[in-house]
């Protein structure tokens, strides 16, 4: 049995309060691996076995350690996939930030457009998949640089098997050129040492100090490739032949066999929450945060009832496992995260913000952990930025930076935007 | 203002029995640690005053939900080609809470009152850039600036006052308006209640009639008691929750938590206007004696800071290292400054080094911090006295008479994190008397920068400079959340002023 954390009542059910009620529209949620472990908590020790350290790292959101600890297989795949997703989310924020920075800065000082800002913003937009924005920015660039943006956009498409690109010398100290080469080549996506976003690009004397706009997109693709490599061929074949074991579900964080099967059929189903997500998907077209909060409360009611039922039939160890490992709050947070990502993609950042704020575990709001996954803070930063809360987006990145030091580059770029946005405003301060 | 009858935990059962389970038409009741000392935007100095002012008053411009500048009392504006003149057309569908029409006279009066040295407004700095304001017609004003302004609307957020309620532009802090405010906002101050609470009622003539019929501000100085009142539904909202209460409130499905980030940091501010604290070595020595982590631990989670910004700020200088907690380094600095330790007490010319720590009574957890700090410093040979002040004493002793050794307090900033008024030698909020030519130069450079990276660089240097000069011991920043019952719907909280969009809120 894993060393259990200090007991805490994490779900509703404080003595004397009414029990959770279930929305009649809610489906009966499956037992899944969480139910299996609660029913037989001794299985947890058997499942984690030698991989206990790697599982603990994965559980706490330390994805690099988890990937190294698992080495190969579904656990390593899971850790790499989460990193790919994290850097993909950060690449989207990077694209948004560079585009906004370009707009704000050139509005205040049109001469800035003569420097590298426009090219970097166009590359960042392309990296985030914003083809329209990237092309609009690239329109002001010389033809060779326009081509570069086009090629980067093309390289992001699945149907481009290989790109043969002559990367121009950008005199940037090597990192941007290396990132471009990595992105536009089929050979690999590894960045040279030192290209970790800790230092600005060297773009010439007297120029503003800009950071690599392609860093997160490149890291996302590198992690995705590692995820693929970690899984190999044998694991899917074994699952297909003999079905999934409990360890596959626990390490892969698939709630049920059906979720795992769905993932194998379509890896874009990145989390095992289709059933919940499908039940509560509202097809919202407005960006109303109150509607988002109401939807989250329906989710809470269903999960509370599910957890209470599992707890009723469980041993003390089973209940402790459920509570101390925060298993149900994890499911809740990942569901909210998933809804938020969809909302961001569908242009509903206020709803995304509402869900993400509700997802944060306030017992340790400034730390990553089982609920506060790295991607939660990446999405929170994006939702805040896109709702005008750029200064608060920096708070979210600050939580991320100790564990993901590459975020420093984006923090500096977003910081430039925050400062620009405030330069024409009147500051205010008060006591207490 | 009426005397405050603070509600104490002793009366919890009775209070709950009387006030719980409000009906749907009942008011939204929120708690402040300290009731606003004054409801006059000319003299707003605390967050509780700013929050109440946000409900009662309006500015020419405000933030929209995406924090973009949007017209409020203004309808439209035209900037001259040379950007030194702005003509603003005002809304004509606005009236004051006493029924009088809102006109251009009110705008001009407000600017003149803020600039009038006889007023001594705490907000004077917010209009210093406006050279003149004149009435064009009943609903049009013209503002002229000393130098070109790229986007002057972004600076016109200050609250507008009714000219007809004042005798002239030199307004005294004691003017009766302070507790009989008349604004144009969505809520009008209705009454001061016997229990010290303040009731605001919806102003029905407001162009966007608010969803809430009434709002009641209750002063509840005990944070634990605040949390209990919320859990037992005797309040609908807490403006700020202590970090240590967050997890408890988060578990209650009837409570929703909203981040309320005010970029706040705590500090110990020395009186530099003479005495031992004018010597930077003595201040630096105190810096080496203070164990911030030990002071912070009992009051909750947060980040310690080394300068006048929170760590996530673009201006925070992460290369500045915190002063080590070190008796040896503190001793070396005090000896260099001429002090000797005699029988365990630091003395100079036979007199013990005595430190009086002053704190506002309403500062959350201040008593806990001060008592621990007193213990830390006494153990290291200082004689320490403690002085907890009410609002009147704080204004008089700290702000007017500069009668203090060191204060424990907190500054909160909007997203601009502009510390000029606190650290410039001429700053209106620089009550410590700090004056440094280098710091002034950096603040001027930051103010005048048109390149954000230059501004960042200047303020990061300033961070290092004030850390070295140590006019303050910079302590920490705390996680900041507000809490509301889930029956309060449609809530969006402004990151600084909190109630900016409260007219959209509703109660189930």
């Amino acid at each position: 049995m894993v060393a259990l954390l200090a007991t805490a009542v994490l779900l509703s059910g404080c003595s004397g309060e009414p029990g959770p009620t279930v929305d009649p529209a809610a489906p009966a949620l499956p037992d899944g691996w969480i139910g299996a472990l609660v029913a037989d908590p001794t299985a947890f020790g058997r499942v984690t076995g030698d991989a206990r350290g790697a599982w603990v790292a994965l559980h706490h959101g330390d994805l690099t350690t988890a990937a190294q600890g698992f080495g190969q297989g579904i656990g390593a795949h899971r850790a790499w996939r989460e990193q790919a997703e994290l850097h993909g989310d950060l690449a989207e924020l990077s694209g948004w930030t560079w585009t906004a920075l370009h707009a704000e800065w050139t509005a205040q000082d049109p001469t800035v457009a003569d420097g590298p800002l426009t090219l970097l913003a166009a590359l960042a937009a392309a990296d985030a998949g914003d083809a329209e924005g990237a092309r609009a920015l690239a329109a002001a660039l010389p033809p060779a640089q326009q081509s570069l943006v086009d090629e980067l956009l093309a390289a992001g498409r699945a149907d481009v098997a290989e790109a043969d690109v002559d990367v121009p010398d950008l005199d940037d100290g090597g990192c941007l050129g290396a990132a471009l080469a990595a992105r536009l080549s089929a050979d690999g996506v590894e960045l040279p040492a030192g290209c970790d976003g800790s230092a600005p690009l060297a773009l010439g004397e007297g120029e503003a100090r800009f950071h690599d706009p392609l860093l997160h997109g490149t890291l996302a693709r590198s992690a995705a490739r590692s995820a693929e490599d970690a899984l190999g061929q044998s694991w899917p074949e074994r699952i297909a032949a003999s079905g999934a074991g409990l360890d596959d579900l626990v390490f892969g964080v698939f709630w049920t066999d059906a979720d795992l099967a769905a993932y194998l059929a379509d890896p874009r189903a990145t989390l095992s929450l289709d059933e919940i997500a499908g039940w509560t998907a509202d097809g919202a077209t407005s960006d109303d945060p109150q509607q988002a909060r109401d939807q989250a409360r329906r989710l809470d009611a269903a999960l509370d009832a599910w957890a209470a039922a599992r707890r009723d039939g469980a041993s003390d160890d089973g209940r402790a496992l459920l509570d101390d490992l925060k298993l149900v709050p994890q499911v809740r947070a990942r569901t909210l995260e998933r809804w938020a990502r969809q909302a961001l993609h569908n242009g509903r950042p206020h709803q995304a913000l509402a869900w993400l704020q509700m997802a944060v575990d306030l017992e340790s709001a400034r730390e990553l952990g089982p609920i506060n996954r790295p991607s939660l803070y990446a999405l929170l930063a994006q939702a805040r930025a896109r709702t005008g809360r750029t200064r608060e987006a920096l708070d979210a990145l600050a939580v991320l930076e100790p564990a993901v030091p590459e975020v420093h580059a984006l923090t500096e770029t977003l910081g430039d935007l925050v400062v620009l946005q405030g330069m024409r405003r009147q500051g205010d301060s008060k006591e207490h | 203002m009426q005397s405050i009858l603070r509600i104490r935990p002793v009366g919890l059962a009775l209070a709950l029995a009387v006030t719980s389970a409000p009906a749907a038409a009942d008011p939204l009741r929120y708690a402040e640690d300290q009731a606003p000392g004054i409801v006059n935007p000319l003299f707003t100095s605390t967050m509780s005053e700013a929050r109440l002012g946000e409900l009662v008053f309006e500015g020419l411009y405000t933030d929209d939900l995406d924090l973009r500048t949007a017209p409020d009392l203004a309808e439209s504006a035209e900037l001259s080609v040379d950007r030194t003149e702005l003509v603003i057309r005002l809304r004509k569908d606005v009236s004051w809470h006493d029924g009088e029409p809102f006109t251009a006279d009110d705008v001009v009066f407000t600017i003149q009152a803020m600039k009038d040295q006889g007023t001594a407004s705490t907000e004077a700095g917010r209009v210093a850039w406006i050279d003149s304001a004149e009435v064009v017609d009943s609903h049009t004003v013209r503002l002229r600036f000393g130098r070109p302004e790229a986007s002057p609307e972004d600076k016109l957020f200050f609250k507008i006052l009714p000219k007809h309620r004042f005798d002239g532009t030199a307004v005294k802090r004691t003017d009766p308006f302070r507790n009989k405010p008349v604004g144009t906002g969505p809520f009008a101050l209705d009454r001061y209640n016997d229990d010290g609470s303040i009731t605001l009622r919806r102003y029905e003539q407001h162009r966007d009639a608010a969803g809430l019929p009434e709002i009641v501000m209750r002063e509840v100085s005990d944070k634990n008691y605040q949390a209990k009142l919320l859990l037992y539904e005797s309040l609908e909202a807490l403006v700020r929750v202590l970090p240590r209460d967050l997890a408890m409130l988060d578990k209650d499905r009837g409570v929703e938590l909203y981040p309320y980030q005010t970029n706040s940091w705590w500090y110990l501010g020395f009186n530099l206007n003479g005495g031992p604290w004018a010597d930077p070595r003595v201040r630096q020595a105190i810096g080496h004696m203070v164990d911030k982590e030990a002071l912070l631990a009992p009051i909750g989670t947060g980040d310690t800071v080394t300068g006048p910004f929170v760590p996530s700020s673009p201006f925070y200088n992460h290369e500045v290292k915190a002063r080590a907690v070190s008796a040896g380094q503190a001793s070396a600095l005090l000896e260099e400054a001429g002090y000797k330790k005699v029988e365990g007490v630091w003395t100079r010319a036979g007199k013990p080094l005595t430190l009086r720590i002053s704190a506002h009574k309403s500062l959350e957890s201040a008593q806990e911090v001060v008592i621990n700090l007193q213990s830390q410093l006494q153990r290291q040979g200082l004689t320490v006295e403690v002085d907890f002040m009410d609002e009147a004493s704080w204004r008089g002793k700290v702000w007017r008479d500069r009668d203090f050794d060191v204060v424990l307090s907190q500054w909160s900033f909007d997203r601009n994190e502009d510390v000029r008024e606190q650290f410039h030698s001429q700053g209106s909020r620089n009550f410590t008397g700090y004056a440094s030519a280098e710091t002034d130069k950096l603040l001027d450079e930051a103010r005048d920068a048109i390149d954000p990276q230059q501004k960042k660089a200047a303020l990061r240097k300033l961070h290092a400079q004030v850390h070295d000069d140590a006019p303050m011991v910079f302590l920490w920043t705390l996680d900041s959340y507000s809490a509301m019952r889930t029956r309060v719907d449609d809530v969006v909280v402004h990151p600084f002023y909190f109630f900016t969009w409260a007219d959209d809120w509703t109660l189930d």
Side-chain angles (χ1 to χ4, degrees), chain B residues 433-446:
Chain B
Y434 174 58
S436 154
E438 180 61 21
T439 296
D440 284 358
K441 189 178 138 213
L442 290 167
L443 286 166
D444 289 346
E445 199 178 316

PDB file of all heavy atoms in Angstrom, chain B residues 433-446:
ATOM      1  N   GLY B 433       9.347  58.662   4.343  1.00  0.00           N
ATOM      2  CA  GLY B 433      10.364  59.697   4.149  1.00  0.00           C
ATOM      3  C   GLY B 433      11.558  59.210   3.351  1.00  0.00           C
ATOM      4  O   GLY B 433      12.621  59.851   3.333  1.00  0.00           O
ATOM      5  N   TYR B 434      11.407  58.126   2.647  1.00  0.00           N
ATOM      6  CA  TYR B 434      12.501  57.578   1.840  1.00  0.00           C
ATOM      7  C   TYR B 434      12.831  58.552   0.699  1.00  0.00           C
ATOM      8  O   TYR B 434      11.931  59.022  -0.008  1.00  0.00           O
ATOM      9  CB  TYR B 434      12.089  56.222   1.284  1.00  0.00           C
ATOM     10  CG  TYR B 434      13.065  55.594   0.314  1.00  0.00           C
ATOM     11  CD1 TYR B 434      14.385  55.327   0.688  1.00  0.00           C
ATOM     12  CD2 TYR B 434      12.663  55.243  -0.968  1.00  0.00           C
ATOM     13  CE1 TYR B 434      15.274  54.736  -0.190  1.00  0.00           C
ATOM     14  CE2 TYR B 434      13.538  54.640  -1.859  1.00  0.00           C
ATOM     15  CZ  TYR B 434      14.842  54.402  -1.468  1.00  0.00           C
ATOM     16  OH  TYR B 434      15.727  53.815  -2.349  1.00  0.00           O
ATOM     17  N   ALA B 435      14.104  58.848   0.514  1.00  0.00           N
ATOM     18  CA  ALA B 435      14.525  59.733  -0.575  1.00  0.00           C
ATOM     19  C   ALA B 435      15.850  59.237  -1.124  1.00  0.00           C
ATOM     20  O   ALA B 435      16.839  59.148  -0.389  1.00  0.00           O
ATOM     21  CB  ALA B 435      14.658  61.164  -0.072  1.00  0.00           C
ATOM     22  N   SER B 436      15.868  58.886  -2.398  1.00  0.00           N
ATOM     23  CA  SER B 436      17.081  58.392  -3.039  1.00  0.00           C
ATOM     24  C   SER B 436      17.111  58.940  -4.456  1.00  0.00           C
ATOM     25  O   SER B 436      16.162  58.717  -5.234  1.00  0.00           O
ATOM     26  CB  SER B 436      17.087  56.855  -3.068  1.00  0.00           C
ATOM     27  OG  SER B 436      17.879  56.382  -4.129  1.00  0.00           O
ATOM     28  N   ALA B 437      18.178  59.637  -4.784  1.00  0.00           N
ATOM     29  CA  ALA B 437      18.284  60.209  -6.132  1.00  0.00           C
ATOM     30  C   ALA B 437      18.266  59.101  -7.179  1.00  0.00           C
ATOM     31  O   ALA B 437      17.654  59.250  -8.251  1.00  0.00           O
ATOM     32  CB  ALA B 437      19.568  61.036  -6.234  1.00  0.00           C
ATOM     33  N   GLU B 438      18.926  58.011  -6.884  1.00  0.00           N
ATOM     34  CA  GLU B 438      18.980  56.904  -7.838  1.00  0.00           C
ATOM     35  C   GLU B 438      17.588  56.297  -8.046  1.00  0.00           C
ATOM     36  O   GLU B 438      17.180  56.003  -9.173  1.00  0.00           O
ATOM     37  CB  GLU B 438      19.963  55.829  -7.336  1.00  0.00           C
ATOM     38  CG  GLU B 438      20.109  54.617  -8.229  1.00  0.00           C
ATOM     39  CD  GLU B 438      20.628  54.953  -9.627  1.00  0.00           C
ATOM     40  OE1 GLU B 438      21.240  56.022  -9.798  1.00  0.00           O
ATOM     41  OE2 GLU B 438      20.386  54.133 -10.559  1.00  0.00           O
ATOM     42  N   THR B 439      16.878  56.130  -6.950  1.00  0.00           N
ATOM     43  CA  THR B 439      15.519  55.582  -7.058  1.00  0.00           C
ATOM     44  C   THR B 439      14.610  56.535  -7.829  1.00  0.00           C
ATOM     45  O   THR B 439      13.837  56.101  -8.692  1.00  0.00           O
ATOM     46  CB  THR B 439      14.956  55.298  -5.646  1.00  0.00           C
ATOM     47  OG1 THR B 439      15.766  54.294  -5.046  1.00  0.00           O
ATOM     48  CG2 THR B 439      13.516  54.829  -5.695  1.00  0.00           C
ATOM     49  N   ASP B 440      14.703  57.816  -7.536  1.00  0.00           N
ATOM     50  CA  ASP B 440      13.895  58.799  -8.282  1.00  0.00           C
ATOM     51  C   ASP B 440      14.189  58.711  -9.777  1.00  0.00           C
ATOM     52  O   ASP B 440      13.287  58.756 -10.619  1.00  0.00           O
ATOM     53  CB  ASP B 440      14.197  60.219  -7.794  1.00  0.00           C
ATOM     54  CG  ASP B 440      13.541  60.512  -6.439  1.00  0.00           C
ATOM     55  OD1 ASP B 440      12.836  59.621  -5.915  1.00  0.00           O
ATOM     56  OD2 ASP B 440      13.754  61.614  -5.908  1.00  0.00           O
ATOM     57  N   LYS B 441      15.473  58.575 -10.086  1.00  0.00           N
ATOM     58  CA  LYS B 441      15.874  58.512 -11.498  1.00  0.00           C
ATOM     59  C   LYS B 441      15.269  57.275 -12.174  1.00  0.00           C
ATOM     60  O   LYS B 441      14.742  57.354 -13.291  1.00  0.00           O
ATOM     61  CB  LYS B 441      17.406  58.464 -11.571  1.00  0.00           C
ATOM     62  CG  LYS B 441      17.970  58.615 -12.951  1.00  0.00           C
ATOM     63  CD  LYS B 441      19.499  58.608 -12.894  1.00  0.00           C
ATOM     64  CE  LYS B 441      20.002  57.778 -14.039  1.00  0.00           C
ATOM     65  NZ  LYS B 441      21.219  57.057 -13.797  1.00  0.00           N
ATOM     66  N   LEU B 442      15.321  56.162 -11.474  1.00  0.00           N
ATOM     67  CA  LEU B 442      14.765  54.927 -12.053  1.00  0.00           C
ATOM     68  C   LEU B 442      13.251  55.030 -12.216  1.00  0.00           C
ATOM     69  O   LEU B 442      12.683  54.551 -13.203  1.00  0.00           O
ATOM     70  CB  LEU B 442      15.131  53.728 -11.169  1.00  0.00           C
ATOM     71  CG  LEU B 442      16.611  53.342 -11.197  1.00  0.00           C
ATOM     72  CD1 LEU B 442      16.940  52.371 -10.061  1.00  0.00           C
ATOM     73  CD2 LEU B 442      16.985  52.724 -12.551  1.00  0.00           C
ATOM     74  N   LEU B 443      12.597  55.662 -11.252  1.00  0.00           N
ATOM     75  CA  LEU B 443      11.142  55.824 -11.356  1.00  0.00           C
ATOM     76  C   LEU B 443      10.782  56.752 -12.512  1.00  0.00           C
ATOM     77  O   LEU B 443       9.805  56.509 -13.233  1.00  0.00           O
ATOM     78  CB  LEU B 443      10.577  56.366 -10.040  1.00  0.00           C
ATOM     79  CG  LEU B 443      10.517  55.342  -8.902  1.00  0.00           C
ATOM     80  CD1 LEU B 443      10.284  56.032  -7.563  1.00  0.00           C
ATOM     81  CD2 LEU B 443       9.413  54.307  -9.145  1.00  0.00           C
ATOM     82  N   ASP B 444      11.564  57.791 -12.695  1.00  0.00           N
ATOM     83  CA  ASP B 444      11.319  58.690 -13.837  1.00  0.00           C
ATOM     84  C   ASP B 444      11.532  57.939 -15.149  1.00  0.00           C
ATOM     85  O   ASP B 444      10.762  58.086 -16.108  1.00  0.00           O
ATOM     86  CB  ASP B 444      12.260  59.902 -13.770  1.00  0.00           C
ATOM     87  CG  ASP B 444      11.889  60.850 -12.631  1.00  0.00           C
ATOM     88  OD1 ASP B 444      10.779  60.708 -12.084  1.00  0.00           O
ATOM     89  OD2 ASP B 444      12.718  61.715 -12.283  1.00  0.00           O
ATOM     90  N   GLU B 445      12.598  57.162 -15.187  1.00  0.00           N
ATOM     91  CA  GLU B 445      12.902  56.381 -16.399  1.00  0.00           C
ATOM     92  C   GLU B 445      11.749  55.412 -16.711  1.00  0.00           C
ATOM     93  O   GLU B 445      11.333  55.285 -17.865  1.00  0.00           O
ATOM     94  CB  GLU B 445      14.199  55.599 -16.143  1.00  0.00           C
ATOM     95  CG  GLU B 445      14.909  55.106 -17.372  1.00  0.00           C
ATOM     96  CD  GLU B 445      16.196  54.384 -16.990  1.00  0.00           C
ATOM     97  OE1 GLU B 445      16.953  54.885 -16.125  1.00  0.00           O
ATOM     98  OE2 GLU B 445      16.437  53.295 -17.547  1.00  0.00           O
ATOM     99  N   ALA B 446      11.238  54.773 -15.677  1.00  0.00           N
ATOM    100  CA  ALA B 446      10.133  53.826 -15.882  1.00  0.00           C
ATOM    101  C   ALA B 446       8.882  54.559 -16.359  1.00  0.00           C
ATOM    102  O   ALA B 446       8.175  54.099 -17.253  1.00  0.00           O
ATOM    103  CB  ALA B 446       9.843  53.076 -14.590  1.00  0.00           C
TER     104      ALA B 446
END
